[in-house]
Each structure stands twice: as C-alpha cells, then as structure tokens.
Amino acid sequence: MRNEALYRQWQILHLIYQNGSRGISLQNLADEFGVSKRTIRRDITNLSAVGFPIYDEVDNSRGRQLFYYIISNYRIPEIQFSLPEITELYLAYLTFESYYKNDSNPLAAALKKINSTIPEEMRNFLKRMNKDIIPDDSLTLKSSENLIEKVRLIQQAINGGKRINFQYFNPFKKEYSQREVSPYGFKSYQKNFYMAGFCHSRNKIRTFAVNRISELKIISKKILKQELDLKSFFDDGFGIFSGNLRWVELHCSAEIAYFIKERNWHPQTKFQDLPDGSVIMKLPVNGFLEIKRFILSYGSNIRVLKPVALKKIIAEEIAEMKKLY
C-alpha cells in the first residue's frame, strides 16, 4: 500500500489515544503492526516531530515495559478570530447543522464551541439572516445524520487498519447481502459518501454507497493491503461507480452546449465545437448506467454517436418510455 509508514503512524496515534491513561506498550505496537520495535520508535519520533503530544514512560508494575501516552490535557493554542471570520463560521454551522446532530461527533462538538462564542443577540440576528440563504437539499439523503455516523465508524476502521462487516442493500434486486470489506477511503458525490474497499465476499475492489450500508461493525481482522490510488480509482470515468473503461461520443445541441462546456467533467474530456453552435463531447465512462441517466436527463438535446452498444441501450429505454405515454 502506498504511504504505508504514514498510514501506520496514523493508526499508532489513534491506538495511543484510544488507550488513554492505560497507555500502550512498545511491544504491543510492534506486534500489532508486525514490525520491529526500532520501526515503532522511528514512527513515534516522526509523530512527535510534527507536534503530536506523545510521551513515553517505563512502567515498573508491568514488567518494566515502555509505554506510550497522549498528554491528556493538551490543547491547541488559542486562536483569535475576527468578527467577520466568526460570523462566517457560524453561518456555515447553521447551514450544515442538520448533518451533525450527534454531539459525540468531533466536528459537531467543534461547531457547538463556535456557537457558544457568539452572543445570543448576534446569534438571533444571524439566524434571521440565514433564512435568506436556502441550502440546496434537493439531493440530500433522508438519513444524513446516520450517514455521518457510518462515515465516522468506517474512518475509525481505516485508521485502525481493521476490516468491517455490514449488510449492503442492492436497490435493483431489492435485497441485502452480507459483506466483509477492507476499507480504503471515501469520495463525496452528490451529497452522499462512497467507500472504496476490497470486498472479501466478492474478491475484488468495489465501490459502496454508504447510505445503503446497515448493521456496520468493525472486526478484529486486519485490512488487506492494496496498491490503490483513490483519486485515480474514483476519477477514472464518468460518475462514481467503477467498471470497464470505455469511450463515449455525444452530440450536444447548441441549446445546451454552453452548460455542458462550463462544467468540470473527466480530465480527459474533449470538446469539438461545430459551426451551428452545437458541440461533440468525448469522455471515458465506467459502464453505461450513470451516463445513460445523464443522456436521458437532457432529452432530445443529446444524441449518442458512439459506441453502438450505448445507442442501443438509449433507444431501448426510449421505446419503453413511449409505452407509458
């Protein structure tokens, strides 16, 4: 796995923090990660060098072993915010408050601290002003609060180098399946989170919509290490889900050409302007499901030029739609 030392150091930091006043021994850390004590010492040195408040102590009551601890009362030095900065932070808090209702979430706790610094009269004024800012919740999931909790638990598994078990819902088959996954990371897309991980139940790297995960648990098995560039994995094609990479060529009418060209698509997307104001768009896609939805959303303003297989899929969908009207 790329940056293996970095991931290990991040996991070490969380293990020390989770063990609190008990601490965790040098030997236990070496055993946990299957490396030498010398490697762990070097990791601790690196973490301390960048400012994490770790200290070590020999515990005579536990076999004179070396234990590591986090300074319990450590706080980041006080930050001074200007009035415009603190009011902007509070407006951001009001906008995203519904996503972080659980006080155990670290970000929710931080937002509440910001809230507490604002005088009540000013808070009321800003709340009234915020009513004029309507957030786009058209694609917001109904279970956004649970979504954040799932993301936090999966992130905890990633930090600890552990696998997860869960039930995964397939909306097409209308059924759940049991999965065991080594999680690697996330991408936020259309107000949902998508997790990339090695699915031990399917023996391949898959993408999972976090909102479709239930009965999520961290298990004791260590993650399967893989060489995975998350950005490349998620950005290889159109949309979020992975699949066989194929090139698509679309003719976009002059009516929508400006709107198509003003958006960021795949980095390899190419446009060819035509004399009548229309444009030909060429881009790679992973499978046809998401690009099909995109094409149909623009109706007669987009025509598939290539490949033939996609043209057939769109034609069949239109034929089925005709039966409804």
Side-chain angles (χ1 to χ4, degrees), residues 110-139:
L111 291 172
K112 285 190 177 295
K113 287 181 181 179
I114 292 172
N115 183 27
S116 67
T117 65
I118 306 289
E120 184 177 358
E121 294 80 4
M122 187 182 293
R123 286 203 304 269
N124 292 334
F125 172 82
L126 291 172
K127 283 180 179 178
R128 291 196 301 271
M129 189 177 75
N130 195 58
K131 290 180 180 178
D132 296 330
I133 304 172
I134 308 300
D136 177 17
D137 58 0
S138 57
L139 295 175

mmCIF file of all heavy atoms in Angstrom, residues 110-139:
data_model
loop_
_atom_site.group_PDB
_atom_site.id
_atom_site.type_symbol
_atom_site.label_atom_id
_atom_site.label_comp_id
_atom_site.label_asym_id
_atom_site.label_seq_id
_atom_site.Cartn_x
_atom_site.Cartn_y
_atom_site.Cartn_z
ATOM 1 N N ALA A 110 -17.016 20.729 17.790
ATOM 2 C CA ALA A 110 -16.301 21.949 17.405
ATOM 3 C C ALA A 110 -17.281 23.041 16.978
ATOM 4 O O ALA A 110 -17.131 24.215 17.339
ATOM 5 C CB ALA A 110 -15.321 21.642 16.275
ATOM 6 N N LEU A 111 -18.316 22.651 16.222
ATOM 7 C CA LEU A 111 -19.308 23.626 15.778
ATOM 8 C C LEU A 111 -20.078 24.211 16.959
ATOM 9 O O LEU A 111 -20.409 25.401 16.977
ATOM 10 C CB LEU A 111 -20.273 22.966 14.792
ATOM 11 C CG LEU A 111 -19.685 22.590 13.425
ATOM 12 C CD1 LEU A 111 -20.679 21.767 12.622
ATOM 13 C CD2 LEU A 111 -19.280 23.832 12.648
ATOM 14 N N LYS A 112 -20.351 23.387 17.961
ATOM 15 C CA LYS A 112 -21.060 23.883 19.141
ATOM 16 C C LYS A 112 -20.194 24.862 19.934
ATOM 17 O O LYS A 112 -20.696 25.803 20.548
ATOM 18 C CB LYS A 112 -21.507 22.711 20.019
ATOM 19 C CG LYS A 112 -22.704 21.970 19.441
ATOM 20 C CD LYS A 112 -23.272 20.976 20.427
ATOM 21 C CE LYS A 112 -24.511 20.298 19.844
ATOM 22 N NZ LYS A 112 -25.613 21.254 19.641
ATOM 23 N N LYS A 113 -18.883 24.636 19.938
ATOM 24 C CA LYS A 113 -17.985 25.584 20.606
ATOM 25 C C LYS A 113 -18.021 26.937 19.903
ATOM 26 O O LYS A 113 -18.008 27.990 20.549
ATOM 27 C CB LYS A 113 -16.559 25.028 20.629
ATOM 28 C CG LYS A 113 -16.363 23.882 21.612
ATOM 29 C CD LYS A 113 -14.926 23.387 21.600
ATOM 30 C CE LYS A 113 -14.750 22.222 22.574
ATOM 31 N NZ LYS A 113 -13.360 21.695 22.558
ATOM 32 N N ILE A 114 -18.051 26.890 18.569
ATOM 33 C CA ILE A 114 -18.172 28.140 17.813
ATOM 34 C C ILE A 114 -19.483 28.831 18.169
ATOM 35 O O ILE A 114 -19.536 30.037 18.401
ATOM 36 C CB ILE A 114 -18.099 27.852 16.300
ATOM 37 C CG1 ILE A 114 -16.694 27.375 15.922
ATOM 38 C CG2 ILE A 114 -18.484 29.090 15.487
ATOM 39 C CD1 ILE A 114 -16.580 26.890 14.495
ATOM 40 N N ASN A 115 -20.546 28.031 18.249
ATOM 41 C CA ASN A 115 -21.867 28.556 18.595
ATOM 42 C C ASN A 115 -21.839 29.269 19.943
ATOM 43 O O ASN A 115 -22.434 30.339 20.121
ATOM 44 C CB ASN A 115 -22.867 27.396 18.609
ATOM 45 C CG ASN A 115 -24.282 27.851 18.896
ATOM 46 O OD1 ASN A 115 -24.645 28.983 18.605
ATOM 47 N ND2 ASN A 115 -25.082 26.967 19.467
ATOM 48 N N SER A 116 -21.117 28.683 20.901
ATOM 49 C CA SER A 116 -21.107 29.234 22.260
ATOM 50 C C SER A 116 -20.354 30.554 22.361
ATOM 51 O O SER A 116 -20.516 31.293 23.336
ATOM 52 C CB SER A 116 -20.493 28.218 23.230
ATOM 53 O OG SER A 116 -19.116 28.030 22.950
ATOM 54 N N THR A 117 -19.518 30.866 21.374
ATOM 55 C CA THR A 117 -18.752 32.117 21.428
ATOM 56 C C THR A 117 -19.543 33.311 20.906
ATOM 57 O O THR A 117 -19.122 34.454 21.085
ATOM 58 C CB THR A 117 -17.455 31.995 20.600
ATOM 59 O OG1 THR A 117 -17.787 31.822 19.216
ATOM 60 C CG2 THR A 117 -16.610 30.819 21.067
ATOM 61 N N ILE A 118 -20.684 33.045 20.270
ATOM 62 C CA ILE A 118 -21.477 34.125 19.678
ATOM 63 C C ILE A 118 -22.501 34.617 20.700
ATOM 64 O O ILE A 118 -23.278 33.818 21.237
ATOM 65 C CB ILE A 118 -22.226 33.636 18.418
ATOM 66 C CG1 ILE A 118 -21.257 32.992 17.424
ATOM 67 C CG2 ILE A 118 -22.999 34.773 17.773
ATOM 68 C CD1 ILE A 118 -20.342 33.937 16.743
ATOM 69 N N PRO A 119 -22.541 35.915 20.991
ATOM 70 C CA PRO A 119 -23.573 36.443 21.898
ATOM 71 C C PRO A 119 -24.971 36.109 21.381
ATOM 72 O O PRO A 119 -25.196 36.040 20.171
ATOM 73 C CB PRO A 119 -23.320 37.954 21.874
ATOM 74 C CG PRO A 119 -21.892 38.096 21.449
ATOM 75 C CD PRO A 119 -21.630 36.960 20.511
ATOM 76 N N GLU A 120 -25.911 35.900 22.296
ATOM 77 C CA GLU A 120 -27.249 35.450 21.918
ATOM 78 C C GLU A 120 -27.918 36.400 20.934
ATOM 79 O O GLU A 120 -28.546 35.963 19.964
ATOM 80 C CB GLU A 120 -28.122 35.303 23.166
ATOM 81 C CG GLU A 120 -29.511 34.753 22.851
ATOM 82 C CD GLU A 120 -30.346 34.539 24.098
ATOM 83 O OE1 GLU A 120 -29.823 34.788 25.208
ATOM 84 O OE2 GLU A 120 -31.508 34.128 23.961
ATOM 85 N N GLU A 121 -27.794 37.706 21.159
ATOM 86 C CA GLU A 121 -28.431 38.670 20.260
ATOM 87 C C GLU A 121 -27.867 38.564 18.849
ATOM 88 O O GLU A 121 -28.595 38.637 17.853
ATOM 89 C CB GLU A 121 -28.234 40.103 20.789
ATOM 90 C CG GLU A 121 -28.933 40.393 22.101
ATOM 91 C CD GLU A 121 -28.157 39.858 23.300
ATOM 92 O OE1 GLU A 121 -27.034 39.329 23.097
ATOM 93 O OE2 GLU A 121 -28.686 39.947 24.424
ATOM 94 N N MET A 122 -26.539 38.354 18.768
ATOM 95 C CA MET A 122 -25.911 38.217 17.456
ATOM 96 C C MET A 122 -26.338 36.910 16.792
ATOM 97 O O MET A 122 -26.572 36.865 15.580
ATOM 98 C CB MET A 122 -24.384 38.275 17.581
ATOM 99 C CG MET A 122 -23.659 38.316 16.230
ATOM 100 S SD MET A 122 -21.859 38.319 16.405
ATOM 101 C CE MET A 122 -21.601 39.921 17.167
ATOM 102 N N ARG A 123 -26.455 35.832 17.597
ATOM 103 C CA ARG A 123 -26.904 34.550 17.044
ATOM 104 C C ARG A 123 -28.293 34.689 16.436
ATOM 105 O O ARG A 123 -28.560 34.187 15.346
ATOM 106 C CB ARG A 123 -26.927 33.464 18.132
ATOM 107 C CG ARG A 123 -25.569 32.953 18.532
ATOM 108 C CD ARG A 123 -25.660 31.561 19.138
ATOM 109 N NE ARG A 123 -26.569 31.494 20.272
ATOM 110 C CZ ARG A 123 -26.213 31.684 21.534
ATOM 111 N NH1 ARG A 123 -24.955 31.978 21.823
ATOM 112 N NH2 ARG A 123 -27.089 31.582 22.509
ATOM 113 N N ASN A 124 -29.187 35.360 17.153
ATOM 114 C CA ASN A 124 -30.553 35.543 16.648
ATOM 115 C C ASN A 124 -30.559 36.346 15.351
ATOM 116 O O ASN A 124 -31.306 36.046 14.416
ATOM 117 C CB ASN A 124 -31.417 36.238 17.701
ATOM 118 C CG ASN A 124 -31.661 35.353 18.908
ATOM 119 O OD1 ASN A 124 -31.616 34.122 18.801
ATOM 120 N ND2 ASN A 124 -31.908 35.959 20.058
ATOM 121 N N PHE A 125 -29.711 37.367 15.294
ATOM 122 C CA PHE A 125 -29.615 38.182 14.079
ATOM 123 C C PHE A 125 -29.129 37.335 12.906
ATOM 124 O O PHE A 125 -29.694 37.377 11.805
ATOM 125 C CB PHE A 125 -28.656 39.352 14.322
ATOM 126 C CG PHE A 125 -28.346 40.146 13.078
ATOM 127 C CD1 PHE A 125 -29.216 41.128 12.621
ATOM 128 C CD2 PHE A 125 -27.189 39.897 12.353
ATOM 129 C CE1 PHE A 125 -28.931 41.852 11.471
ATOM 130 C CE2 PHE A 125 -26.903 40.611 11.205
ATOM 131 C CZ PHE A 125 -27.775 41.591 10.760
ATOM 132 N N LEU A 126 -28.072 36.534 13.137
ATOM 133 C CA LEU A 126 -27.508 35.715 12.073
ATOM 134 C C LEU A 126 -28.473 34.616 11.636
ATOM 135 O O LEU A 126 -28.520 34.245 10.464
ATOM 136 C CB LEU A 126 -26.181 35.102 12.528
ATOM 137 C CG LEU A 126 -25.033 36.103 12.714
ATOM 138 C CD1 LEU A 126 -23.832 35.424 13.360
ATOM 139 C CD2 LEU A 126 -24.635 36.727 11.384
ATOM 140 N N LYS A 127 -29.257 34.096 12.586
ATOM 141 C CA LYS A 127 -30.263 33.091 12.226
ATOM 142 C C LYS A 127 -31.310 33.690 11.293
ATOM 143 O O LYS A 127 -31.747 33.048 10.336
ATOM 144 C CB LYS A 127 -30.929 32.536 13.483
ATOM 145 C CG LYS A 127 -30.083 31.530 14.242
ATOM 146 C CD LYS A 127 -30.816 31.015 15.475
ATOM 147 C CE LYS A 127 -29.973 29.987 16.210
ATOM 148 N NZ LYS A 127 -30.645 29.494 17.440
ATOM 149 N N ARG A 128 -31.715 34.927 11.593
ATOM 150 C CA ARG A 128 -32.694 35.591 10.720
ATOM 151 C C ARG A 128 -32.102 35.819 9.335
ATOM 152 O O ARG A 128 -32.772 35.629 8.321
ATOM 153 C CB ARG A 128 -33.135 36.920 11.335
ATOM 154 C CG ARG A 128 -33.985 36.781 12.591
ATOM 155 C CD ARG A 128 -34.704 38.078 12.927
ATOM 156 N NE ARG A 128 -33.781 39.180 13.138
ATOM 157 C CZ ARG A 128 -33.246 39.491 14.321
ATOM 158 N NH1 ARG A 128 -33.534 38.753 15.390
ATOM 159 N NH2 ARG A 128 -32.428 40.518 14.440
ATOM 160 N N MET A 129 -30.831 36.221 9.302
ATOM 161 C CA MET A 129 -30.177 36.457 8.020
ATOM 162 C C MET A 129 -30.024 35.159 7.240
ATOM 163 O O MET A 129 -30.159 35.121 6.015
ATOM 164 C CB MET A 129 -28.803 37.092 8.241
ATOM 165 C CG MET A 129 -28.141 37.569 6.948
ATOM 166 S SD MET A 129 -26.570 38.386 7.256
ATOM 167 C CE MET A 129 -25.547 36.979 7.604
ATOM 168 N N ASN A 130 -29.758 34.072 7.963
ATOM 169 C CA ASN A 130 -29.538 32.782 7.309
ATOM 170 C C ASN A 130 -30.800 32.261 6.627
ATOM 171 O O ASN A 130 -30.730 31.409 5.747
ATOM 172 C CB ASN A 130 -29.038 31.756 8.328
ATOM 173 C CG ASN A 130 -28.452 30.522 7.667
ATOM 174 O OD1 ASN A 130 -27.512 30.624 6.894
ATOM 175 N ND2 ASN A 130 -29.010 29.361 7.956
ATOM 176 N N LYS A 131 -31.964 32.767 7.029
ATOM 177 C CA LYS A 131 -33.212 32.342 6.394
ATOM 178 C C LYS A 131 -33.265 32.760 4.932
ATOM 179 O O LYS A 131 -34.030 32.214 4.142
ATOM 180 C CB LYS A 131 -34.407 32.920 7.150
ATOM 181 C CG LYS A 131 -34.609 32.293 8.526
ATOM 182 C CD LYS A 131 -35.803 32.904 9.240
ATOM 183 C CE LYS A 131 -35.994 32.259 10.613
ATOM 184 N NZ LYS A 131 -37.125 32.859 11.352
ATOM 185 N N ASP A 132 -32.446 33.770 4.575
ATOM 186 C CA ASP A 132 -32.405 34.220 3.184
ATOM 187 C C ASP A 132 -31.470 33.361 2.340
ATOM 188 O O ASP A 132 -31.360 33.555 1.132
ATOM 189 C CB ASP A 132 -31.938 35.679 3.103
ATOM 190 C CG ASP A 132 -32.925 36.615 3.788
ATOM 191 O OD1 ASP A 132 -34.123 36.281 3.802
ATOM 192 O OD2 ASP A 132 -32.493 37.650 4.313
ATOM 193 N N ILE A 133 -30.744 32.442 2.989
ATOM 194 C CA ILE A 133 -29.829 31.552 2.267
ATOM 195 C C ILE A 133 -30.441 30.161 2.289
ATOM 196 O O ILE A 133 -30.463 29.496 3.319
ATOM 197 C CB ILE A 133 -28.432 31.529 2.926
ATOM 198 C CG1 ILE A 133 -27.868 32.945 3.019
ATOM 199 C CG2 ILE A 133 -27.488 30.615 2.153
ATOM 200 C CD1 ILE A 133 -26.583 33.036 3.815
ATOM 201 N N ILE A 134 -30.963 29.728 1.178
ATOM 202 C CA ILE A 134 -31.643 28.434 1.112
ATOM 203 C C ILE A 134 -30.661 27.386 0.606
ATOM 204 O O ILE A 134 -30.233 27.432 -0.554
ATOM 205 C CB ILE A 134 -32.871 28.489 0.171
ATOM 206 C CG1 ILE A 134 -33.781 29.655 0.557
ATOM 207 C CG2 ILE A 134 -33.619 27.161 0.206
ATOM 208 C CD1 ILE A 134 -34.316 29.567 1.970
ATOM 209 N N PRO A 135 -30.235 26.449 1.465
ATOM 210 C CA PRO A 135 -29.294 25.420 1.010
ATOM 211 C C PRO A 135 -29.952 24.476 0.015
ATOM 212 O O PRO A 135 -31.160 24.238 0.065
ATOM 213 C CB PRO A 135 -28.926 24.681 2.307
ATOM 214 C CG PRO A 135 -30.090 24.903 3.214
ATOM 215 C CD PRO A 135 -30.630 26.262 2.867
ATOM 216 N N ASP A 136 -29.155 23.959 -0.899
ATOM 217 C CA ASP A 136 -29.658 23.003 -1.888
ATOM 218 C C ASP A 136 -29.750 21.633 -1.240
ATOM 219 O O ASP A 136 -28.758 20.936 -1.085
ATOM 220 C CB ASP A 136 -28.708 22.959 -3.092
ATOM 221 C CG ASP A 136 -29.147 21.918 -4.118
ATOM 222 O OD1 ASP A 136 -30.316 21.483 -4.053
ATOM 223 O OD2 ASP A 136 -28.323 21.539 -4.969
ATOM 224 N N ASP A 137 -30.961 21.253 -0.836
ATOM 225 C CA ASP A 137 -31.145 19.946 -0.213
ATOM 226 C C ASP A 137 -31.935 19.006 -1.118
ATOM 227 O O ASP A 137 -32.489 18.007 -0.667
ATOM 228 C CB ASP A 137 -31.849 20.085 1.143
ATOM 229 C CG ASP A 137 -33.209 20.761 1.024
ATOM 230 O OD1 ASP A 137 -33.593 21.115 -0.111
ATOM 231 O OD2 ASP A 137 -33.879 20.927 2.056
ATOM 232 N N SER A 138 -31.958 19.327 -2.420
ATOM 233 C CA SER A 138 -32.754 18.524 -3.350
ATOM 234 C C SER A 138 -32.252 17.096 -3.462
ATOM 235 O O SER A 138 -33.012 16.183 -3.757
ATOM 236 C CB SER A 138 -32.755 19.173 -4.739
ATOM 237 O OG SER A 138 -31.430 19.325 -5.219
ATOM 238 N N LEU A 139 -30.948 16.896 -3.244
ATOM 239 C CA LEU A 139 -30.384 15.554 -3.342
ATOM 240 C C LEU A 139 -29.935 15.021 -1.990
ATOM 241 O O LEU A 139 -29.281 13.993 -1.912
ATOM 242 C CB LEU A 139 -29.185 15.558 -4.308
ATOM 243 C CG LEU A 139 -29.516 15.874 -5.769
ATOM 244 C CD1 LEU A 139 -28.234 15.967 -6.584
ATOM 245 C CD2 LEU A 139 -30.441 14.829 -6.365
#
